[in-house]
């Protein structure tokens, strides 16, 4: 079957390695007003950027940024009038930074730009400094903002959201706790794997995916064990970045669709939600992509996994060995809520339609029950 053409967007410049965060100041030497988007924790890294000039910090970014978060950040930008926006954080921070850089100066609202290719332009430079290894948001052109009323995610996608400079400095991830390291690492792997077994899979993206999930298989356990293992941390930042590239032209599929209600309704962190769902969807999809699933299993250290049950056991074991609590019930989910989650997840067609096997609402509910 011929593959559909793809277009890949990547940051104009990418700095990778221990200490590279210090390059931001020189790169931005001509910026007169810099707005740093952060969290109260990641704001602690601002000195390391070595910025000069006037620096304003907006650090009120929660785990799942919503419309009000974005409005507050835009308002901070209209006060600061930045010529450079720096996203210093994980996916939530970087997603907000993208939209702030693109929207603060113009007339367009979030509603105006929701969907693909609706952002008119951007006249503010954007630097993305990742402080977790998971979302790969620094690599791409998509931003996800929660609509608290509808309980879903608004996806904005535009080439105008790409970073001018992205920084992958493993030292910024040393302090990420083991549980978060595990969950975000599994999320990065899920981006790669869901693109790899995707209905819209592409040979070039497949190779980015392979690099990503092999790095996770090689380094995630090491980083969970020793947070200051520079080589492992750097490997995971690359895996996250490759996952971000996978998200661009191919994107995720049922795994992320099924994880989303756990974020929007149950308020689980995105990485954790994906970790819980990951083994079940990998197993569900195994019959449609047996060879690719076997490649994933090998990368995760399994001897062989040639049936859905074996795949599910293998992937679950991988996550449990990293210390992830895999039972939804242990995270406060109520059995009565699973039906609502299933109908919400099934309705996320932009991802569900990418899945190599069509899932009915009952299939989705079956996955939540199995994860419960
Ligand atoms: Fe994700």
């Amino acid at each position: 079957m011929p593959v559909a053409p793809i277009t890949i967007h990547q940051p104009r410049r990418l700095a990778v390695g221990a200490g590279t965060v210090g390059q931001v100041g020189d790169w931005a030497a001509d910026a007169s007003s810099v707005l740093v988007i952060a969290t109260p924790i990641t704001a602690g890294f601002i000195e390391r950027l070595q910025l000069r000039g006037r620096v304003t910090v907006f650090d009120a970014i929660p785990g799942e940024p919503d419309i009000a978060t974005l409005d507050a950040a835009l308002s901070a930008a209209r006060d600061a009038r930045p010529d450079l926006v720096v996203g210093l954080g994980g996916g939530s921070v970087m997603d907000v930074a993208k939209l702030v850089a693109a929207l603060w100066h113009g007339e367009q609202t979030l509603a105006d730009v929701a969907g693909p290719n609706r952002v008119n332009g951007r006249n503010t430079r954007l630097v993305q400094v990742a402080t977790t290894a998971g979302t790969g948001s620094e690599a791409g052109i998509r931003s996800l903002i929660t609509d608290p009323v509808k309980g879903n995610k608004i996806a904005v996608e535009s080439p105008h959201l790409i970073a001018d400079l992205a920084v992958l400095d493993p030292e910024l991830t040393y302090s990420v706790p083991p549980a978060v390291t595990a969950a975000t690492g599994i999320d990065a792997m899920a981006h790669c794997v869901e693109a790899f077994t995707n209905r819209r899979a592409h040979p070039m993206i497949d190779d980015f995916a392979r690099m990503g999930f092999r790095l996770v298989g090689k380094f995630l356990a090491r980083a969970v064990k020793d947070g200051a293992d520079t080589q492992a941390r750097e490997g995971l930042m690359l895996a996250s970045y490759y996952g971000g590239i996978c998200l661009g032209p191919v994107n995720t599929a049922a795994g992320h669709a099924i994880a989303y209600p756990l974020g929007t309704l149950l308020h689980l962190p995105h990485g954790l939600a994906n970790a819980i769902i990951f083994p079940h969807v990998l197993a569900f999809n195994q019959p449609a992509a047996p060879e690719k699933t076997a490649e994933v299993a090998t990368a995760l250290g399994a001897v062989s996994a040639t049936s859905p049950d074996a795949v599910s056991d293998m992937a679950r074991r991988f996550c449990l060995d990293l210390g992830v609590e895999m039972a939804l019930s242990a995270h406060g989910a109520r059995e009565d809520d699973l039906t609502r989650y299933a109908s919400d997840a099934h309705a996320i067609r932009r991802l569900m339609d990418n899945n190599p096997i069509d899932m009915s609402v009952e299939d989705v509910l079956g996955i939540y029950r199995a994860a419960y």
Side-chain angles (χ1 to χ4, degrees):
M1 199 170 71
V3 290
I6 57 166
T7 302
I8 297 184
H9 297 273
Q10 290 196 66
R12 203 155 288 148
R13 183 178 176 129
L14 178 67
V16 183
T20 49
V21 65
Q23 295 178 13
V24 175
D26 277 343
W27 183 85
D30 58 334
S32 58
S33 172
V34 182
L35 175 65
V36 180
I37 311 278
T39 70
I41 293 170
T42 63
F45 294 131
I46 285 174
E47 290 293 308
R48 298 204 207 182
L49 298 168
Q50 298 185 32
L51 292 166
R52 290 150 249 177
R54 187 157 54 85
V55 177
T56 309
V57 181
F58 179 86
D59 68 1
I61 305 289
E64 296 275 340
D66 62 12
I67 296 169
T69 307
L70 176 64
D71 285 345
L74 284 169
S75 160
R78 282 168 191 141
D79 290 341
R81 307 192 63 77
D83 42 20
L84 169 66
V85 170
V86 179
L88 177 62
S92 308
V93 164
M94 292 191 281
D95 279 10
V96 172
K98 285 174 186 171
L99 291 173
V100 168
L103 300 183
W104 81 265
H105 195 258
E107 301 289 316
Q108 287 188 298
T109 65
L110 179 61
D112 293 335
V113 297
N117 298 316
R118 294 178 65 198
V119 177
N120 284 341
R122 191 181 91 209
N123 64 3
T124 305
R125 281 181 292 166
L126 176 64
V127 175
Q128 299 283 31
V129 181
T131 63
T132 63
T135 66
S137 175
E138 71 283 358
I141 61 167
R142 196 176 290 124
S143 173
L144 296 171
I145 300 293
T146 297
D147 181 336
V149 176
K150 294 190 184 135
N152 62 7
K153 297 260 189 180
I154 301 164
V156 181
E157 186 177 326
S158 164
H160 297 300
L161 302 186
I162 199 72
D164 295 296
L165 168 65
V167 178
L168 305 178
D169 185 338
E171 292 182 352
L172 299 185
T173 64
Y174 284 176
S175 55
V176 177
V180 180
T181 300
T184 51
I186 294 167
D187 183 36
M189 179 176 60
H191 299 155
C192 296
V193 170
E194 289 184 48
F196 191 54
T197 58
N198 201 290
R199 198 170 274 179
R200 298 194 297 152
H202 186 281
M204 183 177 179
I205 298 301
D206 284 351
D207 281 337
F208 280 108
R210 285 187 178 97
M211 291 196 289
F213 62 67
R214 285 174 187 161
L215 284 166
V216 171
K218 187 171 178 189
F219 288 126
L220 184 52
R222 263 173 63 176
V224 167
K225 194 158 165 247
D226 173 11
D229 181 333
T230 307
Q231 190 190 14
R233 288 294 198 185
E234 186 167 318
L236 294 175
M237 293 205 97
L238 287 176
S240 172
Y241 183 85
Y242 297 145
I245 292 176
C246 292
L247 293 177
V250 175
N251 210 351
T252 55
H256 267 63
I258 297 174
Y260 273 137
L262 304 179
T264 50
L265 299 173
L266 188 59
H267 306 295
L268 294 191
H270 175 83
L272 177 63
N274 275 286
I276 291 168
I277 297 303
F278 171 72
H280 303 282
V281 174
L282 188 69
F284 185 93
N285 289 338
Q286 190 268 350
E291 282 157 27
K292 283 184 161 180
T293 306
E295 271 192 67
V296 174
T298 303
L300 301 189
V303 182
S304 88
T306 51
S307 70
D309 282 348
V311 168
S312 175
D313 288 347
M314 174 283 298
R316 216 177 114 76
R317 176 48 53 200
F318 179 82
C319 297
L320 287 170
D321 286 348
L322 295 166
V324 180
E325 169 54 68
M326 295 295 283
L328 262 184
S329 52
H331 295 288
R334 295 183 317 136
E335 205 162 4
D336 292 351
D337 293 333
L338 302 185
T339 312
R340 160 89 196 269
Y341 297 168
S343 66
D344 278 17
H346 187 261
I348 306 176
R349 299 317 308 176
R350 69 184 176 87
L351 301 182
M352 277 294 186
D353 289 341
N354 291 343
N355 206 56
I357 305 179
D358 269 327
M359 275 191 193
S360 64
V361 179
E362 288 69 36
D363 291 330
V364 178
L365 185 58
I367 285 176
Y368 284 123
R369 290 222 169 98
Y372 186 75

